[in-house]
Amino acid sequence: MANQQQPSTFRKIQAVTIGNDFEKVTEIVSVKYIDLVQQLKPHQVIVKVLYVGINASDVNYTNGKYTPNVKPPFDVGFEGLGQIVQVGSKVPKEKVASYGIFSQYGAFAEYLIISYKGITPIPNPKPEYIGLLTSGLTSSISLIEKGQMTSGETVLVTAAAGGTGQFAVQLAKLAGNHVIGTCSSDDKVEMLKRMGCDRVINYKKEDFKKVLKSEYPRGVDIVFESVGGQFFDICLGSLATKGRLIVIGMASTYSSSSGMQGNDLNTIKLLGKSRTVTGFFLPDYADQYGKHLHRLISLLAQRKLEVELDLVGQGDIKDVIKGVDRLQMGKNKGKVIVPLSSSSSSRL
Ligand code: NAP
């Protein structure tokens, strides 16, 4: 069934204890390829993983936040891009050698079994496509469904130069809104300006709260909030009448040793101005992936959307640890991607 030589063993990353220090709680383990072949079901395929996407929540996953009763060891990683190397009996053989992107728990592996219908075909193995999955879909679906985004409003995006924020910025601009973005360095400011962000706030150099107060006294209509802590409070306080704050995440808290500190919602700030704070968790909108992913792929093809990549490593699964660390340190500019084979790395 396979059209090329497969290895006798391959590597994957497992969480061996629960915790948010990715390097400490994970191990790289070796698995026999034949074990995958024996588990392959008729509607599944085996994929050689060429690139994986790193997400802020990789450390929440190792910390057991997604699956509270999970017992280590368990496989980690959310998404990747790969080439089909073997198909189950109900999948057409012509699919072997084709490329696709996928979201699947346990993605940090050199080879993976995936349900064929869980793979979105792509014409070539460009790592930009991975950005459209967790990051692109989160921005696209939440801004429409929870932000009720149309045009002519003011949209504030925190962690705007990150893997997810970059899509919120571009999609809000494409829809015809005024967009404000926050970030922590001058090169991220440049990136966001290039993407059309109308006002970029480098919060290390400017006082975020003061800028909003003086330049946006009416408040902002939609907030795409990913940082948490003080950022959440400032964003909530800056909402316009009828404003909507989408709670996307709390990136500032995930790898802190004190753990995640929940924000107490200051309900009076909401009630007095009919403002809405709304939560968004991508897996709850799985029924909308197809429609939104199709649009994102089409925007990318038309060059109306770009995907800034932050590539880490030279094609070794060990580099996933460096990628997670880079993101948690807030150093990444764009979507963090790790090539898993030296051939994908050399294609870049
Ligand atoms: P990312 O934005 O690529 O990386 C995280 C960014 O957060 C950093 O680059 C950093 O950029 C910023 N940050 C970290 N600590 C900070 C702090 N203390 N203060 C201010 N900013 C800080 O990561 P991502 O994977 O795309 O995720 C971004 C957010 O989206 C996370 O909160 C994640 O949980 C959320 N998310 C949620 C869903 C969902 O379904 N709800 C899905 C995907 C992602 P700067 O400091 O330069 O701004």
Side-chain angles (χ1 to χ4, degrees):
M1 266 197 287
N3 76 334
Q4 50 181 268
Q5 189 70 37
Q6 304 310 345
S8 54
T9 61
F10 67 93
R11 294 174 300 167
K12 64 177 182 179
I13 302 185
Q14 284 195 321
V16 289
T17 46
I18 297 287
N20 63 0
D21 183 333
F22 191 85
E23 184 168 11
K24 269 196 189 143
V25 303
T26 58
E27 264 177 21
I28 295 173
V29 296
S30 185
V31 184
K32 286 190 189 133
Y33 186 80
I34 190 75
D35 291 350
L36 278 193
V37 177
Q38 282 167 354
Q39 290 163 30
L40 187 64
K41 298 205 175 90
H43 291 282
Q44 294 177 326
V45 298
I46 299 178
V47 161
K48 177 174 165 60
V49 182
L50 301 177
Y51 301 95
V52 291
I54 307 294
N55 287 280
S57 260
D58 286 320
V59 298
N60 287 332
Y61 195 69
T62 57
N63 210 8
K65 299 283 184 209
Y66 278 52
T67 40
N69 297 321
V70 72
K71 296 259 180 301
F74 56 91
D75 299 347
V76 298
F78 294 147
E79 57 185 355
L81 179 158
Q83 184 172 33
I84 296 178
V85 292
Q86 203 156 338
V87 294
S89 58
K90 300 273 189 208
V91 179
K93 288 199 175 44
E94 305 79 69
K95 300 297 174 191
V96 170
S98 63
Y99 297 106
I101 47 175
F102 53 87
S103 295
Q104 179 161 300
Y105 292 147
F108 294 159
E110 292 169 335
Y111 289 84
L112 207 55
I113 288 183
I114 307 182
S115 144
Y116 178 62
K117 70 175 194 309
I119 296 184
T120 301
I122 49 171
N124 54 58
K126 279 203 176 134
E128 280 81 354
Y129 286 111
I130 301 181
L132 307 182
L133 289 170
T134 314
S135 298
L137 285 173
T138 293
S139 299
S140 182
I141 300 176
S142 69
L143 283 170
I144 301 291
E145 294 294 322
K146 310 308 287 279
Q148 296 148 25
M149 183 176 79
T150 52
S151 59
E153 291 193 306
T154 301
V155 181
L156 167 61
V157 180
T158 60
T164 304
Q166 64 171 320
F167 291 101
V169 167
Q170 294 181 77
L171 293 172
K173 273 312 291 176
L174 272 174
N177 295 286
H178 178 94
V179 182
I180 311 162
T182 69
C183 66
S184 61
S185 67
D186 289 341
D187 59 335
K188 293 188 188 189
V189 170
E190 285 316 308
M191 165 194 159
L192 288 169
K193 283 187 179 162
R194 195 189 72 236
M195 288 180 168
C197 200
D198 298 287
R199 176 65 164 101
V200 186
I201 305 170
N202 176 346
Y203 64 85
K204 295 255 162 106
K205 288 191 167 170
E206 290 187 276
D207 185 322
F208 176 32
K209 190 173 176 179
K210 276 191 188 151
V211 172
L212 289 176
K213 246 195 159 123
S214 64
E215 296 180 27
Y216 298 91
R218 187 189 67 82
V220 298
D221 302 298
I222 302 175
V223 182
F224 184 92
E225 211 298 279
S226 300
V227 175
Q230 251 196 329
F231 271 66
F232 176 91
D233 291 340
I234 294 168
C235 290
L236 179 58
S238 78
L239 273 182
T241 301
K242 297 186 184 173
R244 292 87 73 195
L245 192 160
I246 316 168
V247 177
I248 293 292
M250 281 158 271
S252 64
T253 67
Y254 299 162
S255 53
S256 85
S257 52
S258 54
M260 203 178 288
Q261 306 283 317
N263 260 301
D264 283 334
L265 292 181
N266 191 339
T267 44
I268 203 73
K269 283 185 185 163
L270 303 173
L271 188 146
K273 290 227 169 192
S274 305
R275 295 145 156 175
T276 302
V277 171
T278 175
F280 177 83
F281 187 46
L282 183 61
D284 293 335
Y285 287 83
D287 59 330
Q288 305 226 18
Y289 289 2
K291 182 177 77 180
H292 284 263
L293 198 52
H294 185 76
R295 175 167 184 258
L296 291 170
I297 290 174
S298 147
L299 287 172
L300 187 66
Q302 295 168 59
R303 297 177 186 266
K304 288 187 177 166
L305 189 67
E306 62 175 295
V307 186
E308 178 84 17
L309 298 183
D310 194 319
L311 287 154
V312 178
Q314 305 290 329
D316 190 318
I317 197 165
K318 284 183 190 153
D319 297 324
V320 166
I321 292 162
K322 288 187 201 151
V324 171
D325 195 46
R326 184 167 169 76
L327 188 152
Q328 293 299 330
M329 304 276 288
K331 288 186 183 156
N332 64 304
K333 192 173 78 165
K335 177 78 188 176
V336 181
I337 298 285
V338 177
L340 287 203
S341 75
S342 47
S343 61
S344 33
S345 165
S346 63
R347 252 199 300 263
L348 296 168

